């Protein structure tokens, strides 16, 4: 097929072709650096990097959706990208998932170093430019822990891993070359290779962040002195996934948007309670919010949440970090960022935006933590530490909001050729920074009370998620390398005694809050979801699932078997909020609530330990010679007002509550039933016989089933079965459940697989006639989860009762082919009997009103024909 290219595309292809010719003829010449360098450098750059495609992928299994790339950038920035595997547009830090709101315009890796007499910085992105300084060596790879049978499972860390490798080793032959206006030369590379790994989880406690690990290696032949690593961030928080000022959309400019009314700051620490003692946990996270949350009296806050970046692991030390923000502006008079008097310097475009390598490096290496943006107007010309904003009016404006950008950096490191250093960061979201709609207009917008404003915002959820991210990266209290060091801990003294003229601790509680500095990248996980099959029945769906992995997989964090039960969900679309539970099963067990007289601010009962089975409780607290057979012991007889008091230990006071619903009688208290109720549990370590397995090789003991009835045959349903655990009461971790959406099965309640064999039955279509004035979309029959599409893009006519493999044809009255649809499904697929036509012709045009014929033909020549009326 002949392809046509725009003139700039031809120029780009020609440039790439010419570059290839030079490389093939003279590799040494191809590696020569730019004009302005004193000598030629030869970096060992893989040849493929000259033609590798820039690629972005989307982290979307959690509640925070964001893009990563193979060229050092997070989210799209000035150039809109589509996911190079799915084709969907990469979102700009969407939070919560499905909201369409943007919390990250772009972020990028920055690496700076002294090389000889030169100060150099390589950037994944900067300011409002498309320039690229890192380039990919290979496509982005994917791994996942979701399916052990998948080739993507080997080596997976999270439910969604992306791995990329890129370098900064050449400066010409690229589509968007970088230029240093201060040094007046093209970008000079540092000779780096970056191995980037990013991870995300869907679990409730871990779904609001992603972890990105940059391993930076010196692959050049020069010593890199005083290396600083950082993350550059431009939040641009606004409603909608696309800039509302792009009219028409302009990918080269942010436009005047809600993204220019942000605030940024740095959270050092927050109060925390461990046991009966209070401490302050160091958080150290840089944050960005929309200044007002875009509040309206009709809809409340549009973007009330907050996102930020935090360094992780052994690098996380406040004294080694720098946090520097600025408000970018074309006009140098309004381009401002905090600077101390001790390290003041012009930044190339005013006092804020660091232009050129030398200014970027100076900012990354200053070891300063800037004050929060709302305090800009409070910095007076006489301030002994900070330089005040030169324009008082501008200072007041910037205290309210601005196009806030920042760099969070750490260093220095020394990298000889071949050395590497790792920069682990977490991109974190937190809910409800804004909760009082009066706060911004009264205390910051119309008046100026920055202390009151900051006291009436909430950073606790962001801080909590940041701490969890740090714990997953480096598990507290875990000696990963076996050297005897378990990490930093709090010691809470519970009791003491005066012995030999001094006080001695007699009871204390140790709580680890940091790991040993060796990455673990392990967190508590729910049990794996069961294997699931869905079979259509007449006006219903038969659900079969096998829970061998769910019930026999230990939690990688606690190393215990913590399986609790199953939940069966049904939905009309793929949004998590649309799923509703139709059945559940959980084991019969009870949680123990123990009285803590030392709890602050007041004594109370606390959840303690893992759930207890009725059998174990009888053995522990039953009466008689054989307490394990005490049939009179009833756990729920004990309550907060009537607790159990241990006669041997009168200070031990507790009662019991049901853990979950205790829907444990399969087929009785729950519609879920055992497929083989009399099958004995397999003994561990014994050989499995054929009689113990199903025809497809699954252990019969773990087979379950249920029927969902009274469903409409004409609409799709999404079915999923999740597994959940009993949580970790001692650490405050709530029960974890596998994803309701991942692995769901789309099905129609329109007959069984046997009924839908290769034979052609009675095919029918709906709606017929199709009327443009009928509210199909409003009633949920089309366009669900595609709210961004106009009505004419989501129309559909449904073909039902199809054989798994056939050809659908739509013809005009004259016999002209309007559209051909090849319907090819596995017979076992519960959606095999259904297909849709989007009312678009084979020439990609919308059809017109009129009468049409449709045909369905099987491979053996059977044909069925019908009429279709479309009324516009």
């Amino acid at each position: 097929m002949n392809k046509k290219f725009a003139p700039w595309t031809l120029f780009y292809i020609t440039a790439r072709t010419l570059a290839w010719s030079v490389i093939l003829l003279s590799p040494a010449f191809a590696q020569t650096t730019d004009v302005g360098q004193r000598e030629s450098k030869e970096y060992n750059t893989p040849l493929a990097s000259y033609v590798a495609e820039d690629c972005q992928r989307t982290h979307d299994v959690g509640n925070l959706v964001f893009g990563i790339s193979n060229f050092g950038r997070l989210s799209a920035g000035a150039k809109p990208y589509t996911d190079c595997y799915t084709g969907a547009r990469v979102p700009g830090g969407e939070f919560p998932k499905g909201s369409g709101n943007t919390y990250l315009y772009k972020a990028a890796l920055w690496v700076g170093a002294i090389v000889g007499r030169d100060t150099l910085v390589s950037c994944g992105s900067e300011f409002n430019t498309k320039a690229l300084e890192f380039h990919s060596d290979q496509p982005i790879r994917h791994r996942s822990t979701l399916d052990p049978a998948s080739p993507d499972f080997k080596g997976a860390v999270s439910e969604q891993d992306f791995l990329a490798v890129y370098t900064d080793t050449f400066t010409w032959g690229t589509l968007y070359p970088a230029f240093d206006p201060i040094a007046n030369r093209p970008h000079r590379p540092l000779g780096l290779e970056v191995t980037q790994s990013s991870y995300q989880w869907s679990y409730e406690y871990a779904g609001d962040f992603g972890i990105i690990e940059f391993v930076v290696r010196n692959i050049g032949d020069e010593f890199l002195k005083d290396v600083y690593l950082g993350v550059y961030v431009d939040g641009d928080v606004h409603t909608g996934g696309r800039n509302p000022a792009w009219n028409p959309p302009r990918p080269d400019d942010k436009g005047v948007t809600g993204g220019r009314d942000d605030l940024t700051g740095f959270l050092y620490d927050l109060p925390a309670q461990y046991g009966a003692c209070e401490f302050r946990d160091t958080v150290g996270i840089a944050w960005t919010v929309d200044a007002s949350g875009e509040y309206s009296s009709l809809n409340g806050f549009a973007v009330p949440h907050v996102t930020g970046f935090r360094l992780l692991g052994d690098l996380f030390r406040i004294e080694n970090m720098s946090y520097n923000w600025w408000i970018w502006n074309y006009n140098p008079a309004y381009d401002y960022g905090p600077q101390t008097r001790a390290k003041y310097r012009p930044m190339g475009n005013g006092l804020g935006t660091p232009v050129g390598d030398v200014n970027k490096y100076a900012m990354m290496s200053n070891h300063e933590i800037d004050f929060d943006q709302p305090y800009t107007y409070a910095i007076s010309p006489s301030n002994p530490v900070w330089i005040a904003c030169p324009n008082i009016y501008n200072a007041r404006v910037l205290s309210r909001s601005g196009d806030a950008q920042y760099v969070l950096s750490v260093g220095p490191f020394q990298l000889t050729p071949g050395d590497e250093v790792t920069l682990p960061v977490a991109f974190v979201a937190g809910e409800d920074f804004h909760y009082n709609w009066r706060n911004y207009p009264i205390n910051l917008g119309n008046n100026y009370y920055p202390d009151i404003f900051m006291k009436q915002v909430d950073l606790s959820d962001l801080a909590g998620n940041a701490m969890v991210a740090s714990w997953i990266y480096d598990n507290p209290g875990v000696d990963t390398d076996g050297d005897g060091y378990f990490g930093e801990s709090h010691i809470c003294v519970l009791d003491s005694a005066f012995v030999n003229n001094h006080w001695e601790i007699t009871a204390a509680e140790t709580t680890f809050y940091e790991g040993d500095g060796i990455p673990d990248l392990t967190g508590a996980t729910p049990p794996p979801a069961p294997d699931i099959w869905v079979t259509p029945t007449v006006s219903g769906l038969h659900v079969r699932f096998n829970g061998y992995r769910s019930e026999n997989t230990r939690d990688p964090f606690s190393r215990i078997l913590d399986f609790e039960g199953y939940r069966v969900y049904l939905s009309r679309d793929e949004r998590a909020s649309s799923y509703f539970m139709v059945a559940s099963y959980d084991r019969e067990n009870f949680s123990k609530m123990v009285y803590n007289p030392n709890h602050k601010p007041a004594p109370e009962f606390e959840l303690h330990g893992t759930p207890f089975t009725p059998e174990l409780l009888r053995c522990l607290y039953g009466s008689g010679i054989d307490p394990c057979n005490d049939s009179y012991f009833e756990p729920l007889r004990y309550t907060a007002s009537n607790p159990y008091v241990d006669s041997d230990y009168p200070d031990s006071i507790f009662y019991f509550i049901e853990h979950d619903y205790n829907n444990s009688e399969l087929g009785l208290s729950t519609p879920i039933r055992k497929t083989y109720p009399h099958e004995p549990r397999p003994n561990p370590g014994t050989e499995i016989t054929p009689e113990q397995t199903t025809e497809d090789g699954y252990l019969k003991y773990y087979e379950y089933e249920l029927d969902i009835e009274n469903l409409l045959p004409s609409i799709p349903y999404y079915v999923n079965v999740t597994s959940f655990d009993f949580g970790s009461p001692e650490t405050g971790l709530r029960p974890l459940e596998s994803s309701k959406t991942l692995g769901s099965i789309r099905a129609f309640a329109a007959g069984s697989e046997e009924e839908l064999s290769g034979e052609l039955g009675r095919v029918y279509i709906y709606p017929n006639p199709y009327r443009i004035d009928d509210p199909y979309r409003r009633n949920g029959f089309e366009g669900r989860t595609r709210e961004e599409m106009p009505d004419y893009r989501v129309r559909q006519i449904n073909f039902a009762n199809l054989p798994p493999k056939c050809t659908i044809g739509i013809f005009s009255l004259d016999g002209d082919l309007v559209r051909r649809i090849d319907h090819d499904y596995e017979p076992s697929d519960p959606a095999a009997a259904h297909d849709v036509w989007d009312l678009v012709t084979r020439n990609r045009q919308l059809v017109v009103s009129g009468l049409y014929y449709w045909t369905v033909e099987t491979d053996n020549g059977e044909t069925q024909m019908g009429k279709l009326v479309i009324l516009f």
Side-chain angles (χ1 to χ4, degrees), residues 63-84:
N63 200 31
L64 173 63
V65 182
F66 63 98
I68 57 93
S69 74
N70 58 3
F71 49 90
R73 183 182 298 171
L74 277 66
S75 289
K79 177 184 176 181
Y81 281 87
T82 57
D83 188 300
C84 48

Side-chain angles (χ1 to χ4, degrees), residues 529-761:
D531 297 291
I532 175 176
W533 299 264
V534 177
T535 304
T537 60
V538 177
S539 298
L541 298 171
H542 178 77
V543 182
R544 167 202 169 195
F545 60 96
N546 187 285
Y548 172 76
R549 290 192 305 119
S550 306
E551 298 178 36
N552 292 282
T553 301
R554 293 182 180 272
D555 185 286
F557 195 76
S558 65
R559 304 307 303 161
I560 64 174
L561 289 171
D562 57 357
F563 168 80
E564 174 70 10
Y566 301 107
R567 295 188 180 110
V568 182
Y569 290 93
L570 189 69
S571 174
R572 283 285 314 281
D573 57 57
E574 297 176 278
R575 292 174 295 188
S577 59
S578 300
Y579 283 79
F580 63 93
M581 188 173 66
V582 296
S584 70
Y585 157 79
D586 66 289
R587 292 176 169 174
E588 184 181 15
N589 47 26
F590 300 86
S591 294
K592 184 178 179 181
M593 306 296 295
V594 180
Y595 184 72
N596 180 5
N598 297 315
H599 184 272
K600 299 295 177 67
E604 66 175 34
F605 285 93
E606 295 177 334
L607 197 60
H608 180 75
T610 58
F612 296 81
T613 64
E615 295 78 15
L616 180 57
L617 287 180
R618 279 195 295 270
C619 291
L620 289 173
Y621 306 114
S623 302
I625 300 176
D626 184 8
C628 293
N629 289 315
D630 179 7
S631 58
Y632 292 100
F633 179 81
E634 171 52 55
L636 297 181
R637 192 180 89 193
Y638 303 99
T639 64
S641 58
N642 179 40
Y644 182 100
V645 180
D646 196 313
S647 57
D648 294 328
Y649 305 95
D651 291 340
S652 181
I653 302 171
F654 48 86
Y655 68 97
F656 307 98
I657 59 173
E658 284 185 317
H659 187 84
D660 210 83
Y661 295 105
N662 279 357
N663 289 335
S664 58
E665 297 180 275
L666 290 162
L668 295 175
S669 61
T670 172
I672 300 172
R673 56 189 183 272
K674 279 269 194 180
T675 306
Y676 304 95
H678 303 297
E679 182 71 22
R681 184 187 184 98
N683 293 320
T686 60
E687 185 177 351
I688 301 299
T689 64
E691 292 76 19
Q692 293 178 284
T693 63
T694 62
E695 291 183 359
D696 49 357
Y698 289 84
L699 284 170
K700 291 181 178 179
Y701 176 81
Y702 300 100
E703 286 280 309
Y704 301 86
E705 63 182 354
L706 82 157
D707 294 296
I708 306 175
E709 301 176 335
N710 301 318
L711 302 179
L712 297 173
S714 58
I715 59 176
Y717 293 94
Y718 293 83
V719 182
N720 210 351
V721 182
T722 65
S723 60
F724 60 97
D725 61 24
F726 49 65
S728 177
E730 291 180 318
T731 62
L733 183 65
R734 289 183 290 179
L736 300 176
E737 181 179 6
S738 61
S739 172
K740 290 183 286 189
T741 58
L742 295 175
S744 63
I745 295 178
R746 180 173 178 264
F748 288 82
S752 66
E753 178 182 335
E754 291 75 17
E755 295 171 315
L756 302 173
S757 61
E759 301 298 323
L760 183 60

Side-chain angles (χ1 to χ4, degrees), residues 32 66 103 168 170 297 299 312 339 366 518 571 716 731 809 860:
T32 303
F66 63 98
Y103 282 85
D168 75 333
F170 65 97
S297 58
N299 301 311
L312 303 173
Q339 292 198 42
N366 64 22
I518 309 299
S571 174
T731 62
N860 59 15

Side-chain angles (χ1 to χ4, degrees), residues 1 45 87 198 357 447 468 555 585 720 722 738 830 854 871:
M1 176 169 41
T45 306
S198 55
D357 286 1
N447 303 294
V468 172
D555 185 286
Y585 157 79
N720 210 351
T722 65
S738 61
W854 58 264
L871 301 174

Side-chain angles (χ1 to χ4, degrees), residues 441-454:
I442 293 176
N443 297 316
L444 203 61
N446 300 325
N447 303 294
Y448 187 63
Y449 308 113
D451 286 333
I452 299 177
F453 172 79
M454 291 302 298

Side-chain angles (χ1 to χ4, degrees), residues 336-398:
Y336 170 78
Q339 292 198 42
T340 61
R341 295 183 180 276
K343 297 184 179 180
Y344 162 77
R345 66 183 293 128
M347 284 293 175
N349 188 54
L351 295 179
T353 307
V355 179
D357 286 1
V358 65
N359 291 318
K360 292 186 181 72
Y361 183 85
M363 180 175 283
M364 295 175 68
S365 60
N366 64 22
H367 293 286
E368 295 174 355
I369 304 294
D370 288 349
F371 54 80
D372 294 349
Q373 185 183 335
Y375 290 97
T376 304
Y377 188 54
I379 305 298
S380 68
S382 61
N383 189 287
V385 177
W386 299 98
I387 296 175
C389 181
N391 184 301
I392 295 178
Y393 172 77
N394 193 39
R396 179 68 183 98
V397 171
L398 299 185

